[in-house]
Amino acid sequence: MRKKISLIGAGQIGGTLAHLISIKELADVVLFDVAEGIAKGKALDIAQATAVDGSDVNLIGTSNYEDTNNSDVIIITAGVPRKPGMTRDDLLGTNLKIIKQVAEGIKKTSPNAFVICITNPLDVIVMALQKYSGLPTNKIVGMAGILDSSRFKYFLSQELKIPVKNIDTLVLGGHGDTMVPMPNHTTANGRALTQLLEENTINKKSLDSIISKTRKGGAEIIKLLEKGSAFYAPAASGVEMAESYIKNLKKTLPCAAYLNGEYGVKDLYAGVPVIIGSKGVEKIIELSLSKDEKDNFDLSIKAVKELFSSAVKIDKDLAK
Ligand code: APR
């Protein structure tokens, strides 16, 4: 039987998710949005596209949670995106309220689903979603690391003039200005980036500028678009996570996962490499970090913790 993916939020990312899922024939799609017309309109449009590309999946649009009943995967993008000049943290108050409603909706209708959250500020919103819904921590993850790594990879490929697929890299920590690109865990054409630095194939100044561009990758796009934020790469990243779960691919992917002592962090969501298979988050991979990487990671964790404290001030329910 075909799997079912429900997309909570049928905006820019939600619509792109639906299109990618249908092209890949990954699952039937339910597009849910409080703006019912948007959900129904996009479902119809993409369903008509399946008639062109021959994909055999069903799509519906709805504003009724019952239609999302027994989903295998739920991907959440409900919320407001950033405007130029805003940080992800500025979205906290508004998106926290929205995520509380979403948590209520999905816990009743799809208690066994694998839930991927994309709504920002990511780490704190996914943590709030887990607390509000009470769903198991291995079944709730946040999408950020794949996107941040894809930006790091892209900028490196431009600098080194090699295809993106020849670069392996990781970005860990929180999905914000303190995210931690990991040069020591990066290879290009199979060779360590540290080695390329030593032989001056890339210099320290260019690498630092790439790290800074990666951290500001989302903001650069928002400034250019003027309206809305990035959606193609975020959607592609969300689909990679959903596919690894549905097909039990057991890929190692950087995701915002619940840490319970790993990396010295307890009771917090943050970006680390995890294995995603049919049981959800099956394992958290603990990399050994250099002193610099560890210091940067700790700084990022501190930022996530501080933002979560602000969330608790907004809604005391999160203190439970
Ligand atoms: N339930 C369901 N959908 C909602 C709710 C709600 N309570 N509140 C808002 N929405 C819907 C909006 O109607 C809108 O269609 O969420 C959708 C968000 O879509 P966009 O505004 O296009 O935003 P998008 O670019 O898709 O980003 C969504 O993901 O990456 C993050 O920062 C981004 O937080 C933002 C989110």
Side-chain angles (χ1 to χ4, degrees):
M1 213 179 79
R2 255 199 317 253
K3 301 287 183 183
K4 174 172 176 176
I5 300 183
S6 291
L7 307 173
I8 313 297
Q12 297 280 60
I13 303 176
T16 312
L17 282 166
H19 195 198
L20 289 175
I21 293 164
S22 78
I23 289 170
K24 283 178 170 265
E25 293 186 318
L26 199 54
D28 288 335
V29 176
V30 178
L31 271 157
F32 174 99
D33 203 293
V34 282
E36 191 181 22
I38 290 179
K40 284 192 183 312
K42 289 196 180 182
L44 255 183
D45 191 9
I46 298 167
Q48 289 161 10
T50 65
V52 180
D53 57 41
S55 302
D56 187 21
V57 291
N58 291 320
L59 291 112
I60 62 158
T62 183
S63 58
N64 181 351
Y65 271 106
E66 276 174 22
D67 292 324
T68 69
N69 261 342
N70 296 320
S71 301
D72 297 286
V73 175
I74 292 186
I75 309 181
I76 300 169
T77 61
V80 290
R82 284 190 278 171
K83 294 196 177 74
M86 282 172 105
T87 70
R88 293 181 181 90
D89 299 1
D90 295 334
L91 306 173
L92 182 64
T94 309
N95 285 352
L96 207 52
K97 279 193 206 109
I98 292 175
I99 225 62
K100 197 169 192 177
Q101 287 173 10
V102 173
E104 284 303 314
I106 64 170
K107 77 175 181 195
K108 284 191 214 121
T109 44
S110 296
N112 300 315
F114 181 58
V115 183
I116 301 167
C117 180
I118 300 186
T119 303
N120 276 314
L122 196 270
D123 308 271
V124 170
I125 291 292
V126 69
M127 175 108 175
L129 175 71
Q130 195 281 324
K131 289 202 180 265
Y132 288 142
S133 67
L135 297 179
T137 51
N138 65 316
K139 293 301 251 337
I140 296 200
V141 281
M143 186 297 293
I146 302 175
L147 172 64
D148 297 329
S149 304
S150 77
R151 288 178 174 152
F152 192 32
K153 232 186 238 188
Y154 169 72
F155 293 134
L156 279 170
S157 84
Q158 293 288 298
E159 173 69 25
L160 296 168
K161 301 192 175 44
I162 62 173
V164 274
K165 67 175 188 325
N166 293 10
I167 299 179
D168 257 328
T169 190
L170 265 184
V171 177
L172 304 186
H175 184 48
D177 298 342
T178 59
M179 69 178 73
V180 193
M182 310 278 279
N184 293 350
H185 290 86
T186 301
T187 59
N189 282 341
R191 302 184 61 228
L193 192 62
T194 40
Q195 211 176 337
L196 301 183
L197 271 169
E198 267 168 38
E199 64 193 36
N200 216 22
T201 305
I202 183 168
N203 61 45
K204 178 83 173 52
K205 195 163 163 249
S206 311
L207 179 60
D208 287 347
S209 130
I210 285 173
I211 289 176
S212 156
K213 275 179 78 154
T214 301
R215 291 200 171 115
K216 295 180 201 136
E220 182 183 6
I221 292 172
I222 291 168
K223 196 163 168 231
L224 288 166
L225 293 178
E226 289 180 10
K227 205 164 163 262
S229 54
F231 53 101
Y232 293 112
S237 307
V239 169
E240 185 173 32
M241 292 165 72
E243 189 169 29
S244 192
Y245 172 77
I246 283 182
K247 297 185 178 166
N248 194 21
L249 300 179
K250 300 195 191 295
K251 280 190 181 180
T252 301
L253 301 168
C255 302
Y258 182 76
L259 298 176
N260 193 17
E262 298 86 354
Y263 290 89
V265 180
K266 224 173 156 46
D267 193 29
L268 197 78
Y269 270 85
V272 292
V274 301
I275 293 179
I276 296 185
S278 58
K279 296 188 185 71
V281 174
E282 299 192 347
K283 192 174 172 17
I284 291 176
I285 310 284
E286 283 203 72
L287 300 172
S288 63
L289 305 185
S290 68
K291 163 120 189 16
D292 255 15
E293 287 169 341
K294 176 85 176 99
D295 288 350
N296 287 333
F297 184 81
D298 290 346
L299 214 67
S300 191
I301 293 296
K302 190 168 164 261
V304 176
K305 275 188 183 155
E306 280 170 8
L307 193 65
F308 189 71
S309 304
S310 309
V312 173
K313 282 188 197 129
I314 295 172
D315 185 355
K316 301 275 175 292
D317 282 358
L318 289 172
K320 286 176 204 155

